[in-house]
Amino acid sequence: MALDDSHLAYPMRRHGMDHDRYAWSMLTDRPPLHWPGGKPLAVWINVSVQHFPMNPGAALKLPGSMTMPYPDLRHYTLRDYGNRVGIYRLLQALREARLQASFAVNAALVDRYPALADALLAHGGEWLGHSWSMDTPHAGAVPPEAEQAVIARSLALLRQRSGQPVRGWLSPGKLQTARTPELLKAAGIDYFCDWVNDELPYRFHTTAGELWNLPLATEIEDRFVVLDNLHAEASWADQVIDAFELLLAEARAQGGRLLSLSLHPWVMGQPHRMRHLERVLAHIAASDAVWCAQPGEIVALAAAQEPR
Amino acid sequence: MNAPAAPRREDTGHYGYWPYAGRPRISWPGGARIAVWVAPNIEFYELDPPLNPQRAAWPHPYPAVPGYSIRDYGNRVGHMRQMALLDKYGLRGSISLSTALCIHHPEIIAMCRERDWEFFSHGIYNTRYTYGMSEAQERAMILESMDTIERHAGRRPAGYLAPALSHSELTLDLFAELGGRYSCDLFHDDQPTPLQVRGGQRFVSVPYSLELNDTIAYVVNKVEPRRYGQMIKGSFDRLYAEGADSGTVMCIPTHNYQVGCPHRLKAFEDALAHITGHSGVWLTTGREIAEHYLAHHHDAAVADIARHAGAGATTGQEA
């Protein structure tokens, strides 16, 4: 039997996007953004601090989730390594390079590892909501009440513990349900980082009010490059440096550009990978063209410069 | 009760075996050894397409933010980067176009028209697959895609690459019947070849490459960006050398959401600089390759194929 005739009907074929979440515009058509101090290139480093439960129950498995029959000791402990060891290496490397980072934190870790939360707070840097754990995907058939409850519980704990307003959000796996933007807006979130369709922040519409999306690139993320693509660590570092140089040249010609760098302690905090991370951080730190920025600052600056 | 399975072809039915060695010589304009064309796939993937029972558009439930958003990135960010690079090296793109993009993002179409890029059909959306379409449905889809290109890009398309490489047994036949001149759907050769289609139209395959397709390289084969650049150079060097004997074709199929990423552009640029640094290279489009071949080499090829087709072969262009 042939396909239903709906396959030849195109109700959303129209100018712009096939949805109403954001306006269509090409990056180069927008007025140039200006970063503080006249720096051409903003660099935003985000560290995702994650808890992968050994007994995941969600219908959808996120990248990095358990894959073996319970008890999956090998995957659980390798991810936990990031929270016990790897994160301290990353924090030290950031301090040595004198580069700031933000931290997207699974709230479960604040409960489970108070000392880890202390270490992050002592280091400094903006916290982003990263849901409860890597077993609470905001995706598919998750009932809205359940999603709302996870968001509320996560943000309450992160805000209480950090003393920060926590206005940013990174959904686990960058997955959203159809209602995630509305629920986040209602929970006091100003921006999220889930949509990788741009390199600068842009306005995102929800029925609960306006949000911003600040894209956190997946394509040069440590986990994606090293674990999904199986590229050598040295190649990951080359890729980040190639991206840095290209964006810097573009920023000088076209106005403020952003390099977003997503790191995971359980990936990059391994001993054999650290020197490659250090090479990347040193390369960034050696440039006087860089504004090393917190995500909330980037969004606020973009919002302030938005044409009216 | 299940109906008996329909018989399935053992091969595409569009061409017979034709050895690379000993073919009639191909000469390209200006005595070039190699025809090089770049085929940017400019695509539109729908956020919420109707479900094709044979292939899901997205690996994640609605809304599939990761997959949808990186493809949107290509049009919002990557396109300008790639186009500027092709401008820099004097290359015109031959766009494999999701033709709905004419309506969604006409700004991109206008910029490519200014540059005299070629537009060929890649279906209407890259999230609408041919699988399961009736002949009438597929014909309607192809025809609408051709009409859209003609209306928005000013010229009827000559080439076709099925949307998301989703085919029926009739895809090439239908496109030829609707006035198409060449197909990019077959990966069987490094030179153009005549294709046998149902209606007997003069119709050719222009080599396209899956191995050098950046999405295949990056997503399927997990190739590192600098190695991708090396692959392009290696392919060029070999086809350039062989082109001293008889003209070859090299296609670099790209996607603005792949090569247009900042960590991949430099390696791509290195490869383009390498290619354009040679003499005897015809920097061209798919349409121009097809037209030159149809005008100058097609008939000799058909005759040569017929000579090879003696020993029991059932395919090959009929006289």
Side-chain angles (χ1 to χ4, degrees):
Chain A
M1 206 177 80
L3 291 178
D4 186 89
D5 279 344
S6 66
H7 283 264
L8 294 184
Y10 309 100
M12 298 305 283
R13 185 162 51 171
R14 61 181 190 182
H15 183 256
M17 308 311 299
D18 61 338
H19 56 77
D20 296 317
R21 283 305 195 179
Y22 51 81
W24 152 245
S25 77
M26 297 177 83
L27 177 60
T28 44
D29 285 349
R30 298 173 215 154
L33 277 178
H34 301 285
W35 305 131
K39 304 288 189 184
L41 183 65
V43 172
W44 164 37
I45 300 168
N46 183 74
V47 180
S48 291
V49 188
Q50 299 176 326
H51 173 57
F52 289 90
M54 196 164 68
N55 57 350
L60 205 69
K61 296 240 180 298
L62 296 172
S65 185
M66 302 300 104
T67 57
M68 303 303 288
Y70 177 86
D72 187 351
L73 296 188
R74 73 184 194 201
H75 289 109
Y76 175 82
T77 57
L78 199 55
R79 278 127 193 79
D80 205 31
Y81 177 94
N83 294 324
R84 296 168 62 91
V85 180
I87 183 66
Y88 295 96
R89 291 201 180 109
L90 259 58
L91 294 178
Q92 186 184 350
L94 288 162
R95 277 193 297 269
E96 284 173 4
R98 297 177 187 278
L99 293 173
Q100 302 186 66
S102 62
F103 299 90
V105 182
N106 281 158
L109 283 175
V110 171
D111 251 359
R112 296 174 58 87
Y113 302 150
L116 173 58
D118 287 340
L120 295 177
L121 291 170
H123 180 86
E126 185 181 337
W127 281 21
L128 284 73
H130 194 26
S131 195
W132 188 256
S133 77
M134 300 309 282
D135 189 34
T136 54
H138 299 251
V142 176
E145 314 77 52
E147 186 180 2
Q148 185 176 29
V150 168
I151 291 170
R153 181 161 69 126
S154 304
L155 284 174
L157 186 53
L158 293 168
R159 283 168 176 158
Q160 179 264 322
R161 188 66 159 87
S162 67
Q164 299 180 9
V166 186
R167 311 304 289 262
W169 181 271
L170 177 66
S171 298
K174 294 180 182 148
L175 291 174
Q176 298 189 344
T177 69
R179 294 183 194 81
T180 301
E182 277 73 21
L183 296 175
L184 291 176
K185 178 68 186 180
I189 288 296
D190 293 331
Y191 71 94
F192 58 70
C193 315
D194 297 339
W195 289 63
V196 294
N197 57 328
D198 214 305
E199 284 174 357
L200 287 172
Y202 65 86
R203 199 174 267 281
F204 199 97
H205 310 310
T206 87
T207 57
E210 296 292 285
L211 275 172
W212 285 77
N213 182 53
L214 176 66
L216 179 62
T218 300
E219 299 282 325
I220 54 166
E221 172 183 293
D222 56 354
R223 188 202 58 75
F224 178 76
V225 171
V226 171
L227 296 188
D228 287 356
N229 289 342
L230 303 176
H231 294 179
E233 293 74 18
S235 170
W236 173 77
D238 290 341
Q239 291 175 45
V240 178
I241 289 167
D242 284 354
F244 176 92
E245 292 299 329
L246 186 117
L247 288 169
L248 180 55
E250 204 169 278
R252 288 193 163 119
Q254 297 180 10
R257 286 288 181 269
L258 169 67
L259 173 76
S260 60
L261 191 59
S262 174
L263 303 175
H264 296 75
W266 58 276
V267 179
M268 212 33 79
Q270 290 286 338
H272 60 292
R273 299 202 175 107
M274 279 302 298
R275 71 186 171 91
H276 302 285
L277 173 63
E278 286 162 356
R279 175 158 75 95
V280 164
L281 296 180
H283 189 92
I284 294 168
S287 171
D288 59 8
V290 166
W291 175 46
C292 189
Q294 293 288 322
E297 298 178 301
I298 299 170
V299 173
L301 246 159
Q305 294 178 52
E306 191 185 29
R308 285 290 163 192
Chain B
M1 205 175 95
N2 290 331
R8 295 179 174 222
R9 289 177 180 165
E10 189 172 352
D11 61 29
T12 81
H14 295 296
Y15 62 89
Y17 181 72
W18 189 31
Y20 190 42
R23 294 178 184 175
R25 185 174 196 282
I26 291 176
S27 58
W28 295 133
R33 301 161 158 231
I34 182 171
V36 174
W37 66 301
V38 179
N41 286 266
I42 305 188
E43 298 171 331
F44 202 99
Y45 286 72
E46 298 159 284
L47 185 60
D48 195 16
L51 176 66
N52 186 307
Q54 295 192 50
R55 179 170 166 183
W58 302 114
H60 295 123
Y62 173 87
V65 175
Y68 180 89
S69 64
I70 190 62
R71 286 164 179 82
D72 183 33
Y73 167 92
N75 293 326
R76 291 167 75 90
V77 180
H79 173 75
M80 293 299 280
R81 243 175 228 151
Q82 182 182 194
M83 191 172 66
L85 199 60
L86 296 184
D87 284 350
K88 180 174 174 182
Y89 291 93
L91 290 155
R92 278 177 301 147
S94 303
I95 299 174
S96 171
L97 183 67
S98 293
T99 61
L101 196 122
C102 292
I103 292 141
H104 286 290
H105 302 330
E107 301 86 354
I108 290 178
I109 302 298
M111 288 185 288
C112 298
R113 275 189 79 167
E114 282 168 21
R115 289 161 171 78
D116 193 25
W117 286 18
E118 182 199 350
F119 299 85
F120 65 87
S121 171
H122 190 27
I124 295 174
Y125 284 106
N126 224 34
T127 33
R128 305 267 179 150
Y129 308 119
T130 308
Y131 310 123
M133 282 191 175
S134 67
E135 180 175 344
Q137 286 176 331
E138 187 176 12
R139 180 188 293 107
M141 183 267 288
I142 295 173
L143 183 61
E144 185 171 343
S145 77
M146 295 173 83
D147 288 346
T148 304
I149 287 185
E150 183 169 21
R151 193 160 61 247
H152 291 267
R155 195 172 180 194
R156 208 154 177 81
Y160 193 68
L161 179 71
L165 306 186
S166 69
H167 303 99
S168 74
E169 287 185 334
L170 297 176
T171 299
L172 275 59
D173 301 317
L174 291 171
F175 183 61
E177 282 163 26
L178 291 167
R181 307 307 305 279
Y182 74 94
S183 166
C184 304
D185 282 314
L186 308 180
F187 312 111
H188 62 304
D189 221 290
D190 284 326
Q191 293 179 323
T193 59
L195 294 179
Q196 180 174 298
V197 288
R198 184 171 71 176
Q201 291 86 4
R202 288 162 62 88
F203 189 69
V204 293
S205 169
V206 171
Y208 182 89
S209 173
L210 277 194
E211 290 288 313
L212 293 188
N213 180 306
D214 58 352
T215 295
I216 302 299
Y218 285 127
V219 179
V220 180
N221 296 334
K222 315 290 189 200
V223 163
E224 297 171 348
R226 293 184 185 186
R227 183 172 161 232
Y228 178 62
Q230 290 294 338
M231 286 164 55
I232 296 173
K233 290 189 215 176
S235 183
F236 173 81
D237 289 346
R238 168 58 58 141
L239 291 169
Y240 185 78
E242 293 179 2
D245 299 325
S246 177
T248 53
V249 176
M250 173 171 170
C251 179
I252 311 174
T254 63
H255 295 75
N256 48 25
Y257 64 93
Q258 298 291 350
V259 287
C261 287
H263 61 298
R264 300 198 182 108
L265 208 73
K266 182 175 182 295
F268 184 54
E269 173 162 10
D270 289 347
L272 297 185
H274 177 78
I275 290 167
T276 56
H278 286 70
S279 60
V281 179
W282 183 29
L283 301 175
T284 186
T285 63
R287 179 197 287 268
E288 288 170 0
I289 293 169
E291 287 176 349
H292 179 89
Y293 187 83
L294 282 164
H296 300 285
H297 300 292
H298 175 270
D299 295 350
V302 168
D304 194 57
I305 290 166
R307 272 196 294 282
H308 282 89
T314 54
T315 51
Q317 183 84 355
E318 305 291 337

